[in-house]
Amino acid sequence: FFFHYLPFISPMRLELPDDQFVRLVPRDTLTDAELTDFCHQNPLIHVEQTPQGDLLIMPPTHTDSSRTNARINLQLGKWWEKEVEAGSEIFDSSGGFRLPDGSLRSPDAAWISPERWLGLSEAQRRHRYSPVCLDFVIELKSYSDSLSELQRKMTDTWLANGTQLAFLIDPETETSWIYRAGQAVPDVFAGFDHELSGDPTLPGFALDLRWLR
């Protein structure tokens, strides 16, 4: 990450180094309204927020990563359509969620159980960033991502906030990791000739990695 001190001025347009992640440190933590305004001023970037209020700025997704992510969401969507439990929901990478630790995160694909989703008020479900942790997430490593940062995100962000199951996928090396709540070390899978099982969190869901090549 590149580190920059950023006093927030709205509106603010950014010029980022090509294909680089940037960590911006505002003088004061942005409110949800200010963060939304910031994103509107910079529509091509992807923004997440740490518990401390720092902004993690990511460049536009590579074409190949977008293709792979679309195939991931297609498989999750097909499973959800057939196996849907009333009240559960699925999300793509454009949605932001305000986690219990105060961070704002946007996984590449996600599912939430009826218990968590319907436990929110209607206003919270329609809020800019619903205050809830997802039951299941998928993070897809792009060419510019740091693997160690993503691995830390799986444990220190997703599992630490209550996610039950998380897949981390690296198409470049064809390596996948399955993180489970209560399991100290993730399961590691080499190659894209198999499926990643979502059981028991997502009964019957299996992500076919062959489609991600």
Side-chain angles (χ1 to χ4, degrees), residues 73-175:
N73 278 278
L74 178 62
Q75 291 188 56
L76 182 61
K78 286 182 176 179
W79 168 84
W80 179 82
E81 186 178 35
K82 294 179 180 178
E83 305 294 336
V84 62
E85 182 178 357
S88 73
E89 290 292 348
I90 53 175
F91 305 92
D92 65 13
S93 60
S94 61
F97 297 87
R98 185 67 70 183
L99 303 184
D101 67 359
S103 63
L104 180 72
R105 297 293 186 171
S106 301
D108 291 302
W111 174 85
I112 192 169
S113 65
E115 292 76 20
R116 293 191 184 187
W117 187 241
L118 298 179
L120 299 174
S121 67
E122 183 175 355
Q124 288 175 319
R125 292 196 296 270
R126 294 182 179 276
H127 193 266
R128 290 186 180 95
Y129 315 115
S130 292
V132 68
C133 186
L134 301 150
D135 293 84
F136 169 67
V137 300
I138 298 176
E139 293 281 1
L140 177 66
K141 182 185 179 299
S142 68
Y143 296 105
S144 57
D145 284 334
S146 163
L147 179 59
S148 61
E149 289 289 340
L150 279 176
Q151 291 172 324
R152 188 176 300 112
K153 182 179 182 181
M154 305 306 279
T155 56
D156 295 357
T157 297
W158 291 120
L159 294 186
N161 278 281
T163 294
Q164 297 301 301
L165 178 68
F167 294 173
L168 172 57
I169 301 171
D170 183 353
E172 189 174 6
T173 63
E174 294 197 357
T175 307

Side-chain angles (χ1 to χ4, degrees), residues 17 38 47 57 62 65 67 71 92 144 154 161 166 173 191 206:
F38 177 80
V47 182
I57 311 297
H62 286 197
S65 293
R67 175 192 67 88
R71 294 185 177 198
D92 65 13
S144 57
M154 305 306 279
N161 278 281
T173 63

Side-chain angles (χ1 to χ4, degrees), residues 8-14 30-45 47 55 104 128-129:
F8 178 72
I9 302 173
S10 180
M12 177 175 288
R13 299 187 64 86
L14 296 178
L30 274 61
T31 66
D32 284 355
E34 289 173 330
L35 183 57
T36 298
D37 183 49
F38 177 80
C39 293
H40 286 164
Q41 296 300 320
N42 299 276
L44 295 181
I45 63 174
V47 182
L55 302 184
L104 180 72
R128 290 186 180 95
Y129 315 115

